[in-house]
Amino acid sequence: MTQATSFSKDHLAAIAAHFCSLGSILTIDVLGSGNVNDTFLVTLDGTEQFKSFVLQRLNNHVFDRPDLVMNNMLTLVNHVESKLASVSFEVRGRRWEMPKLLPTVGLDAHWIEEDGSFWRSISYIDSATSAEVIDDHNHAIEVGYALGRFHYLISDLSNDKLSDTLEDFHVTPAYLLQYDLAVNTFNKSVGQSFKKDRRLDSALSFVDTHRGGVDVLELALSRGELKKRPIHGDPKINNVMIDDISRQAVGLIDLDTVKPGLVHYDIGDCLRSCCNQAGEETTDLSQVYFDLSLCEAILEGYLSEARCFLSKTDFEYIPECIKLIPFELGLRFLTDHLNGNIYFKTNRPEQNLDRAEVQFRLTQSIESQWTSIVDLIDRLRRKR
Ligand code: GN1
Ligand code: MG
């Protein structure tokens, strides 16, 4: 099982020391609740400008080319910084910050431990916090705004400047293939006995009734109706930084999955994360539903920045991505459950099955509101 790794304070302090020439370390605490990397906040007794930074161990089983992940991040941040610098703050009107890679004392952007683990550090966006659930209507608008601003800022970054660091990321038919392989292997290893597990049985049936249409976005891409462009890849609620005073969104963090893709992957991912107020980790399925009024507020915020680069066809596929991405994530969790929890971090054996059930319940809730979702997107498209 890929368990949340624990590190001794001394071990972490020794790694952090490679990145901080500017002060001595006061504290090192776990930061956030990522399912893949290990992330810590290091606080220093340094200057006002350098009070804290993010220390992270990149999971190099998932990201097997950390060098390319780092290059993508550098390319992206440079692009956005120069775009922001070309307009004055008055024109921009709002604070917007990008997380930046910090050099080691030896000036590399990373540190490799003796065991081969890959560490890097990133600037911490100060006086801002991310949340696990949407607080109110304004928060929803701000989360949508953040994704729209992010897409806008990278809308003129060309795809060939970014490497494909995670092949088939968000390509749902590819996840379905992996799932089928996992089911076969699982079947062989346990015989037919798992059929007796009612929860697993019903999750497997859910997948079987949803096979049709998993290629909807990829087909649109192959027909040229949709186009690849740089995306964030993981714009879930806790990756949106909100200014502590103004309550405005000031940045998106967690840039490892930035690479060419469809904006629909991001829209679907953001909505599945934010419109399920019970959260990804709940075990009370009765609390899981897709909140359409939050969806509307998030899309309003998103379109305030993104309308200018979305085509009519882009709009037409938005309902599809809202339905597809939660199903896809459920499929990914279920596959990992069958594979023995080798990808997502878990603290208990059934956690990935629980997570899959949440995403499937969310998918059902979206299906039951399908007509309203299609009407909403159509109304938002016409609104100028
Ligand atoms: C993973 O590691 P984290 O929590 O930032 C995953 C996302 C999922 C998310 C679900 C590289 O993100 O795709 O949506 O878990 N990241 C990767 O919480 O697979
Ligand atoms: Mg992530």
Side-chain angles (χ1 to χ4, degrees):
M1 184 154 71
T2 311
Q3 280 179 311
T5 332
S6 53
F7 298 91
S8 76
K9 282 217 148 49
D10 287 350
H11 186 192
L12 286 173
I15 297 167
H18 294 293
F19 294 93
C20 51
S21 51
L22 293 172
S24 51
I25 297 164
L26 292 179
T27 55
I28 305 183
D29 298 299
V30 170
L31 183 64
S33 51
N35 287 331
V36 170
N37 297 327
D38 296 294
T39 312
F40 305 89
L41 181 65
V42 182
T43 58
L44 305 166
D45 69 351
T47 60
E48 268 302 295
Q49 289 83 5
F50 200 65
K51 283 190 301 197
S52 52
F53 66 88
V54 176
L55 179 68
Q56 199 168 48
R57 184 179 75 148
L58 201 71
N59 180 330
N60 44 14
H61 296 295
V62 171
F63 299 103
D64 60 357
R65 288 290 306 270
D67 55 326
L68 298 182
V69 173
M70 300 289 272
N71 283 348
N72 278 2
M73 191 165 166
L74 277 175
T75 305
L76 174 95
V77 173
N78 289 342
H79 178 86
V80 171
E81 297 263 286
S82 62
K83 191 154 170 170
L84 289 175
S86 67
V87 283
S88 67
F89 184 80
E90 287 66 34
V91 174
R92 248 188 299 144
R94 288 180 58 155
R95 174 183 174 205
W96 185 262
E97 287 183 31
M98 297 294 285
K100 287 185 216 65
L101 289 170
L102 303 175
T104 59
V105 176
L107 293 182
D108 287 328
H110 63 266
W111 173 258
I112 297 179
E113 275 285 270
E114 271 170 14
D115 63 3
S117 60
F118 188 101
W119 292 80
R120 50 136 184 234
S121 74
I122 299 168
S123 61
Y124 184 66
I125 300 183
D126 229 348
S127 312
T129 331
S130 68
E132 293 298 325
V133 283
I134 295 282
D135 293 333
D136 52 27
H137 184 82
N138 184 58
H139 187 194
I141 292 191
E142 286 301 314
V143 169
Y145 167 88
L147 184 60
R149 165 134 288 207
F150 188 87
H151 281 169
Y152 167 72
L153 288 168
I154 57 174
S155 57
D156 55 348
L157 172 62
S158 99
N159 285 335
D160 55 22
K161 298 233 165 85
L162 297 173
S163 308
D164 189 353
T165 45
L166 269 181
E167 211 188 322
D168 288 339
F169 191 55
H170 287 310
V171 177
T172 317
Y175 289 116
L176 193 58
L177 280 178
Q178 288 178 22
Y179 164 83
D180 285 335
L181 278 176
V183 171
N184 279 337
T185 314
F186 188 88
N187 261 332
K188 280 191 197 127
S189 70
V190 299
Q192 289 305 309
S193 58
F194 80 98
K195 284 280 178 201
K196 295 194 185 76
D197 180 330
R198 191 192 50 76
R199 288 177 59 214
L200 183 55
D201 202 17
S202 104
L204 295 167
S205 306
F206 190 85
V207 174
D208 281 336
T209 54
H210 286 76
R211 286 176 176 272
V214 295
D215 50 0
V216 59
L217 296 179
E218 302 313 309
L219 284 179
L221 180 64
S222 66
R223 287 192 296 260
E225 293 169 13
L226 300 177
K227 286 195 178 57
K228 278 197 180 178
R229 49 190 137 185
I231 61 162
H232 181 279
D234 189 16
K236 55 183 180 178
I237 179 163
N238 53 18
N239 283 334
V240 181
M241 299 301 284
I242 303 287
D243 186 286
D244 291 337
I245 311 273
S246 71
R247 310 305 297 156
Q248 291 187 323
V250 293
L252 279 188
I253 56 172
D254 190 9
L255 304 178
D256 301 323
T257 46
V258 166
K259 66 180 199 106
L262 295 176
V263 285
H264 296 78
Y265 301 155
D266 275 357
I267 298 170
D269 206 27
C270 182
L271 292 173
R272 67 114 201 119
S273 156
C274 298
C275 300
N276 163 22
Q277 289 282 73
E280 279 176 38
E281 296 291 341
T282 186
T283 48
D284 182 357
L285 285 182
S286 69
Q287 299 298 310
V288 177
Y289 69 96
F290 186 79
D291 188 322
L292 199 55
S293 62
L294 287 181
C295 172
E296 178 163 1
I298 292 165
L299 286 174
E300 268 176 20
Y302 179 72
L303 292 173
S304 69
E305 288 288 295
R307 189 180 288 283
C308 61
F309 60 80
L310 291 182
S311 67
K312 183 164 178 285
T313 322
D314 283 330
F315 274 96
E316 281 164 12
Y317 281 98
I318 291 180
E320 298 293 348
C321 72
I322 294 176
K323 188 169 62 172
L324 186 64
I325 301 296
F327 174 70
E328 175 191 282
L329 184 59
L331 193 60
R332 294 172 65 198
F333 285 141
L334 185 56
T335 303
D336 201 31
H337 175 74
L338 295 168
N339 284 338
N341 305 318
I342 51 177
Y343 186 97
F344 297 105
K345 283 188 217 165
T346 50
N347 299 310
R348 49 196 166 77
E350 304 276 284
Q351 193 169 358
N352 275 318
L353 179 58
D354 292 340
R355 289 165 169 162
E357 285 183 331
V358 170
Q359 296 306 316
F360 291 161
R361 179 58 69 95
L362 196 59
T363 309
Q364 279 175 327
S365 171
I366 291 165
E367 287 169 341
S368 71
Q369 301 179 75
W370 186 246
T371 315
S372 312
I373 292 174
V374 173
D375 289 349
L376 169 67
I377 305 304
D378 194 47
R379 188 155 45 78
L380 290 173
R381 179 177 67 79
R382 292 164 196 277
K383 205 163 154 182
R384 290 269 152 192

